[in-house]
């Protein structure tokens, strides 16, 4: 078996605040293999975002070790290994969709020609071809979110970190984007770490579901999904699906009860 | 345009009050003259007199209007008696001071946003600086600058700058800090350097704040330029005009210079508003 | 040369001290200390430069000379303070802010007035105060009443605009909530819109403090009794008593900063709930 | 040509006609001088401008110059084109002032900014308190104009024979309604409108030579102005950048100013100087100057210029 | 059968905007009986909020008629018939939780004694006893939302109008609040109109589900729930539940397709 893409050993992270220390992560160990789609689920404030931020070198753990592609998160960041998608689309209102997607490319010094080539390709991938010249506020919330995913895909990051990317969208749009995300993942073979609050979403998308408990944030359960790679939306009404969902819910409820 | 009717109503009300106030304020002098001349004033004569005095306590609107007309349209704009010429003198100092103040304000704001030491130690003094009555200092500033060989437009512009940099600092600090943590983190995940973050994120994000401050700043600049004109020898400019009017008790001249100054300020603010609209529309932010 | 070197050394020491302080945890003490270190550094540099370059005392006195004069003239400074700050600025401030507040509450009830008055108000606010001062001195006499009038004119519009804006700050949803309770406009004002407007009102009050002081001082240039800070500043420049001029400026800066700080403190107590205040504590 | 900068005490008006005439008629040019005239104003302290190096020579009143000298700014009078003082206190008879005995309890308008010294020494000679105590007068810092007397806020205001007095007349009050006290008549006149330079500059022979030529040309200008008052007033008007002066007022002013300059050839009369110093020294509890100054004037320039 | 509590006949509502008229509601007819729990579901912008606002006299219909308790909405509002719960908790940050809950009581002129008695009772009901003295920002989102429900319950409004009250909360907290809301409804016998984006939530809570289609907002389906009044959380994995959910989803999808 190849080395894991992300390997966390016994991670600790304590924030120093005015009200005293906050233990956001405690003894977190997890391996993510290449091509995995890992969902993180857990009650609010349990440290999901923090864990993702540690992976992306946006936060320094206060204990334990973590490697990404075999090197430190900082080196991985310098090597531009990450595409990070935040909860809100976070597009720049003063840039067109095309310009928004090419922003990381500009920063990374791609040539003009390559920029436009890549922008066209990823906008196509998220079905936004033809919207290059629009401004973000001229698009619906779902389209904005797809643009922000396109932005994270524009450069060749191996690892896609997604922090509740669909949290603000309505159920129908969300279903649709979930389907598309799965297709995309299948096509690009990226490794994805995905934070969500929704049990069906986690179960529908993932190859591996990580259930976390509230402060201090700990991993209470890691569930490998028995679902096939090919997942029509109806799969959510299948007994396998409901069983996994049930297990996730139980894990969550147990966490809530302790907290 | 929705505001047209209400604005006109309010303006009409102001003119009515103005005319009444002119009667009330100028009546004593009319009576004083009448008693010394030993005549009785009828109500009509009184009103007519109060609206037509040479040096009234409060000139009637039409007197001011006539004065403005005479000194703008009727005079060659190169004439020293033309209000347009004086406005231009003040405007040039205003614009220079405004440019300097905006520059200084942005520089300070960048320093404050990027440097904790500056943030914590300089910011309180920026506020204190505005509690110093610059008008009291103006004559000294002019003299001291003169002593180091700076004269002409620049000393006036410096006072203008002192008044206009403050709103720009405050607004730009807010604006440069307006990107959310998330947007800054995003830059970090792309491994963007400080200058890329500044030019591509912080600066564009600060534009609406900048324009709001510029509107306040330009009005402050104009006040600064006018104040700066007093101690430069009351030679030329709206400030000199105000002063000369005040020195000779020419209230009509004072009021016309005042109205002109307010109109100039309104014009400058409107121009900035226009640039803002064009600019933000082109940036897709309006 | 020695003094210039002194100034340079002070600059380096002061800045390094602040750099060191900025790396400490940002306690209240550190937050207080850093601007003080910065200010003391500036003053020491000023002293060094004035002595080093041998700048004439009739152009720019040294801080030590200003301090000596300050200590020796406390009775004059106090008299001027009472005349300008207490009688002129404070009364004008209270009157101007109070009137603006009441006007704001009034025109808020009438959208017609709001739309008509605000653009006109902005135009009037653009009137340069230097021009208003001689007129108001002519109308209200040379004593403190005319200074108060200038202050009223100066603070009125910033306060009005802020208050009107603040009264609009409550969200549609919050106002709808009051509607579902069938609350009267008065009740809505007191229970919802005024508390919501407080951050804006305090913003206006803070701007007004510095304006009030400047207005009262400047108005004294255009005629005054023979006391007051503006009077003292202008006559002392004529007598080349620049140390006294600067002592008055120090008083102005102290009073201005204290007033600003005082209002900010009250703001903290009153708007304790506002996120900008919560973040700080 | 050598550059000379002259700082005036007040705005461009006929009070300074001699200098504008000299400039306009080329008298300075004849002396190979390139003169710049800087108008003054209510906020300009000519003494400070001199100290800051903003001017080589300034028009100033002697009390202010002597006070500056005691403050450590060594100003020296090099010429005195004005022989007598034009300062007066102008009162309204209907306010109850007809003699100096009536001052007690009244409000008087006074110019400050260094111009208050003659007034203060006059009051102390009359034994009238100016600090607001009982039996004294209430002093009000007069603004730029004569409004206080027109509006009855003050019983008297300070005026110059050539300027503010006529503004009162123009406003509609008649000479019969007014009671004027000329400082000359009260024996408290102090020297006005002299030319002052810094002592250290005089040590430089080149500078001295420049001043000699400057004073010579200026006096030529003054005498020309006295003889051709209307033309002089026109020249002043041409030089007024503020565009606020009127022809009528300037011609009248020139006529009055000519009366004050008439008695002087430019050289300071030591007797006038002594009288000024004595008046200032007697300034009561808070005298303008505390001891008789040394070296505050010189005839070195006028001796060379006028012979 | 008794008269319906809310009876809308052929309601129309057109907003005049700068871009021309917006048809928010078109020909909407609906009767709500006393004690009903009615959920409104539909894509974003379909007029759910607008319909609720019309019921509460916050918006005037441009056509059709509506009566509440047999009188006009305005009269019902004056009679204080409504408790309105908005999407965001909308508590006043300068008032403690206790003071927030007593706000409507103050306005309606209840005596001090009655105020504190009622505040204590409703805070107990939403399990917030002991938090009277806290400020809203010292509480979690779920607790704030419960406080805002307490506020709507404090006075005896017959009708509870709730506009996506749990939209901003995480799934676990939401489940919990759903359970509590059902208990509360069972105990107080209020009539509830409830807007949501979540199909499971709508199905779990309601006796009647109203599906709406996008602009111009129309009612496309009204589903009477076959579920019993007693509903444990597990009911969501029962076939009846899934069937109703399926029907709602189909209705929604149809709406999306037209729109
Ligand atoms: N910069 C910080 N300083 C102090 N405490 C922090 C900071 N960032 C997060 N925390 C705290 O750490 C804990 C974990 O936060 P985190 O954002 O990772 O939670 P989460 O699982 O993403 O929650 P949510 O579902 O609400 O997004 C929380 O208690 C939070 O308050
Ligand atoms: N005050 C208003 N002026 C103009 N248009 C409005 C107004 N309020 C709502 N609309 C429009 O009416 C339509 C219905 O809005 P409404 O808020 O009722 O939708 P909704 O179903 O509640 O949507 P969501 O699920 O996003 O809350 C929308 O297109 C909206 O843009
Ligand atoms: C603020 C103020 N200060 C001084 C004077 C007095 N002054 C100095 S020079 C000169 C000549 C006038 O024509 C006069 C009057 C004034 N008027 N206003
Ligand atoms: Mg999170
Ligand atoms: Mg809605």
């Amino acid at each position: 078996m190849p080395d894991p893409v992300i390997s966390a050993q016994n991670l600790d992270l304590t924030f120093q605040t005015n009200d005293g220390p906050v233990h956001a992560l405690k003894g977190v160990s997890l391996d993510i293999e290449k091509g995995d789609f890992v969902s993180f689920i857990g009650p609010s404030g349990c440290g999901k975002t923090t864990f993702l931020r540690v992976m992306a070198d946006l936060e320094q753990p206060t204990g334990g070790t973590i490697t990404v592609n075999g090197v430190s998160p900082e080196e991985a960041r310098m090597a531009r290994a990450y595409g990070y998608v935040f909860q809100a689309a976070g597009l720049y209102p003063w840039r067109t969709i095309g310009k928004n997607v090419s922003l990381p490319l500009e920063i990374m010094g791609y040539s003009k020609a390559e920029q436009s080539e890549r922008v066209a390709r990823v906008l196509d991938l998220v079905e936004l071809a033809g919207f290059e010249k629009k401004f973000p506020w001229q698009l619906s919330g779902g389209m904005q979110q797809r643009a922000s995913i396109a932005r994270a895909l524009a450069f060749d990051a191996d690892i896609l970190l997604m922090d509740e990317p669909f949290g603000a969208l309505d159920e129908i749009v969300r279903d649709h984007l979930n389907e598309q995300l799965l297709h995309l993942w299948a096509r690009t073979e990226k490794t994805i770490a995905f934070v969500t609050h929704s049990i069906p979403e986690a179960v529908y998308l993932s190859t591996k579901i990580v259930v976390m408990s509230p402060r201090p944030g700990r991993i209470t359960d890691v569930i490998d999904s028995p679902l096939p790679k090919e997942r029509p939306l109806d799969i959510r009404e299948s007994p396998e699906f409901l069983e996994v969902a049930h297990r996730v819910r139980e894990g969550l409820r147990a966490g809530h009860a302790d907290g | 345009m929705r505001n047209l009717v209400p604005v006109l109503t309010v303006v009409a009300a102001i003119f009515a009050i103005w005319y009444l106030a002119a009667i009330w304020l100028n009546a004593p002098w009319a009576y004083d003259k009448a008693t010394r001349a030993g005549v009785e004033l009828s109500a009509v004569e009184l009103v007519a007199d109060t609206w037509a005095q040479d040096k009234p306590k409060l000139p009637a609107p039409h007197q001011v209007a006539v004065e403005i007309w005479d000194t703008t349209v009727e005079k060659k704009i190169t004439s020293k008696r033309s209000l347009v010429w004086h406005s231009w003198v003040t405007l040039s100092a205003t614009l220079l001071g405004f440019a300097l103040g905006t520059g200084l304000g942005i520089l300070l704001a960048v320093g404050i946003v990027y440097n904790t030491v500056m943030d914590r130690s300089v910011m309180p003094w920026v506020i204190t600086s505005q509690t110093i009555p610059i008008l009291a200092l103006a004559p000294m500033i002019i003299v001291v600058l003169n002593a180091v060989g700076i004269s002409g437009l620049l000393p006036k512009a410096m006072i203008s700058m002192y008044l206009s940099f403050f709103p720009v600092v405050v607004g730009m600090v807010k604006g440069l800090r307006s990107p959310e943590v998330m947007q800054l983190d995003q830059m970090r995940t792309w491994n963007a350097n400080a200058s890329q973050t500044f030019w591509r994120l912080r600066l564009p994000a600060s534009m609406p704040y900048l324009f709001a401050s510029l509107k306040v700043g330009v009005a402050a600049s104009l006040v600064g330029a006018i104040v700066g004109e007093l101690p430069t020898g009351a030679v030329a400019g709206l400030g000199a005009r105000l002063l000369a009017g005040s020195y000779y008790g020419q209230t009509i001249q004072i009021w016309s210079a005042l109205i002109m100054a307010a109109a100039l300020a309104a014009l400058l603010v409107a121009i900035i508003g226009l640039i803002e609209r064009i600019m933000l529309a082109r940036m897709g932010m309006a | 040369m020695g003094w210039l070197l002194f100034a340079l050394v002070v600059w380096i020491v002061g800045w390094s001290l602040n750099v060191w302080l900025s790396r400490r945890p940002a306690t209240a003490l550190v937050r207080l200390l850093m601007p003080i270190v910065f200010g003391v550094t500036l003053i020491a540099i000023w002293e060094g430069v004035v002595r080093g370059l041998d700048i004439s005392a009739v152009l720019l006195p040294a801080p030590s000379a200003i301090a000596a004069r300050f200590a020796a003239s406390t009775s004059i400074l106090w008299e001027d303070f009472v005349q300008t700050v207490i009688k002129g600025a404070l009364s004008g401030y209270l009157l101007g802010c109070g009137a603006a507040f009441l006007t704001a509450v009034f025109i808020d009830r009438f959208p017609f007035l709001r739309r008509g008055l605000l653009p006109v108000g902005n135009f009037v606010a653009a009137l340069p105060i230097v021009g208003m001062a001689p007129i108001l001195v002519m109308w209200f006499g040379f004593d403190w009443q005319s200074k108060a009038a200038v202050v009223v004119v100066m603070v009125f519009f910033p306060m009005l605009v802020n208050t009107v804006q603040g009264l609009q700050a409550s969200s549609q949803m919050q106002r709808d909530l009051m509607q579902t309770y069938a609350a009267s406009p008065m009740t809505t004002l007191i229970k919802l819109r005024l508390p919501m407007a407080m951050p804006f009102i305090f913003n206006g009050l803070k701007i007004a403090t510095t304006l009030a002081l400047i207005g009262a001082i400047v108005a004294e240039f255009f005629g005054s009794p023979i006391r007051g800070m503006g009077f003292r500043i202008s006559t002392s420049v004529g007598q080349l008593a620049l140390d006294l001029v600067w002592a008055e400026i120090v008083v102005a800066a102290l009073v201005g900063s204290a007033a600003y700080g005082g209002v900010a403190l009250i703001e903290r107590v009153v708007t304790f709930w506002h996120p900008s205040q919560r973040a700080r504590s | 040509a050598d550059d000379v900068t002259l700082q005036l005490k007040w705005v461009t008006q006929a009070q300074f006609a001699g200098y504008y005439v000299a400039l306009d008629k080329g008298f300075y040019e004849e002396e190979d001088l390139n003169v710049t005239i800087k108008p003054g104003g209510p906020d300009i302290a000519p003494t400070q401008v001199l100290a800051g190096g903003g001017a080589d020579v300034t028009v100033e009143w002697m009390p202010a110059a002597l006070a500056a000298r005691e403050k450590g700014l060594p100003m020296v009078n090099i010429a005195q084109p004005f022989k007598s003082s034009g300062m007066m206190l102008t009162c309204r008879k209907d306010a109850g002032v007809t003699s100096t005995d009536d001052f007690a309890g009244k409000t008087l308008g006074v110019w400050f900014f260094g111009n208050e010294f003659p007034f203060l020494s006059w009051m102390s000679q009359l034994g009238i308190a100016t600090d607001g105590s009982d039996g004294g007068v209430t002093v009000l810092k007069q603004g730029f104009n004569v409004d206080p007397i027109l509006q009855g806020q003050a019983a008297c205001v300070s005026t110059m024979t050539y300027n503010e007095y006529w503004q009162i007349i123009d406003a509609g009050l008649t000479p019969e309604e007014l009671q004027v006290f000329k400082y000359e008549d009260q024996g408290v006149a102090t020297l006005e409108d002299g030319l002052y330079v810094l002592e250290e500059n005089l040590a430089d022979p080149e500078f001295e030579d420049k001043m000699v030529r400057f004073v010579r040309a200026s006096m030529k200008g003054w005498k020309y102005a006295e003889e051709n008052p209307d033309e002089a007033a026109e020249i002043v008007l041409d030089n007024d950048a503020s565009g606020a002066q009127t022809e009528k007022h300037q011609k009248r002013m020139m006529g009055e100013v000519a009366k004050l300059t008439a008695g002087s050839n430019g050289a300071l009369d030591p007797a006038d100087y002594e009288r000024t110093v004595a008046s200032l020294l007697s300034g009561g509890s808070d005298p303008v100057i505390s001891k008789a100054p040394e070296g505050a004037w010189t005839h070195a320039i006028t001796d060379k210029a006028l012979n």
Side-chain angles (χ1 to χ4, degrees), chain A residues 37 202-209 222-229 231 235 240-241 244 247:
Chain A
F37 194 127
V203 178
Y204 176 67
L205 291 171
S206 325
T207 57
K208 195 181 242 180
I209 299 153
V222 178
I223 301 160
D224 283 300
S225 176
L227 300 181
K229 248 201 154 174
R231 298 176 187 183
I235 205 170
E240 294 95 334
F241 185 96
V244 179
R247 192 171 150 200

Side-chain angles (χ1 to χ4, degrees), chain C residues 28-219:
Chain C
L29 184 70
V30 168
R31 278 170 189 282
L32 189 70
L33 224 52
M34 288 189 59
I36 291 178
V37 169
F38 181 79
V40 169
T41 308
L42 275 191
I43 291 172
I45 292 170
W46 177 354
E47 181 86 32
V49 168
V50 167
R51 286 174 184 249
L53 297 180
D54 206 18
I55 293 173
S56 161
V58 303
L59 287 180
L60 184 67
S64 55
I66 296 169
R69 186 53 182 246
F70 191 101
S73 316
T74 42
S75 68
I76 292 184
L77 295 176
W78 174 252
E79 186 188 348
D80 294 346
F81 168 81
V82 171
Q83 170 73 18
T84 305
V85 177
I86 307 289
K87 290 190 188 159
L90 188 63
S91 60
Y93 182 77
L94 296 177
L95 224 70
C97 291
F101 177 81
L102 293 179
T103 313
V105 169
F106 179 75
I107 68 174
D108 184 64
R109 289 288 307 273
F110 304 98
F112 183 82
L113 272 184
R114 195 171 61 228
R115 284 189 278 137
L117 257 176
L118 283 188
V120 177
N122 285 331
F123 183 80
V124 176
L127 286 176
I129 130 97
V130 262
M132 289 304 292
I135 293 169
L136 291 170
V137 170
M138 184 167 93
W139 288 358
F140 292 95
F142 58 89
D143 209 349
W144 62 269
Q145 293 85 344
S146 61
K147 316 308 174 277
V150 171
V151 173
V152 168
V153 172
M154 278 191 87
V155 301
F156 187 82
F157 286 102
M159 184 68 188
L160 181 74
V161 170
N162 270 286
T163 310
V164 168
Q165 205 183 345
L167 288 173
Q168 303 284 308
S170 55
S171 65
Q172 183 65 41
M173 180 191 93
Q174 290 171 315
R175 272 173 278 162
D176 285 346
L177 186 68
M178 295 305 262
Q179 272 249 295
T180 64
Y181 301 151
S184 69
M186 191 62 180
T187 312
T188 311
L189 182 71
I190 291 173
K191 303 239 185 238
L192 169 62
R193 309 175 62 162
L194 275 185
M196 209 66 198
M198 279 305 156
F200 293 82
I201 291 175
F202 273 97
N203 202 19
L205 287 175
K206 280 196 282 189
I207 296 172
T209 47
T210 56
L211 289 179
L213 201 63
I214 292 175
I217 291 176
V218 170

Side-chain angles (χ1 to χ4, degrees), chain D residues 1-15:
Chain D
D2 298 309
D3 290 329
V4 172
T5 306
L6 170 67
Q7 173 68 54
L8 301 182
K9 182 176 174 54
W10 198 247
V11 298
T12 302
Q13 57 182 1
Q15 183 189 1

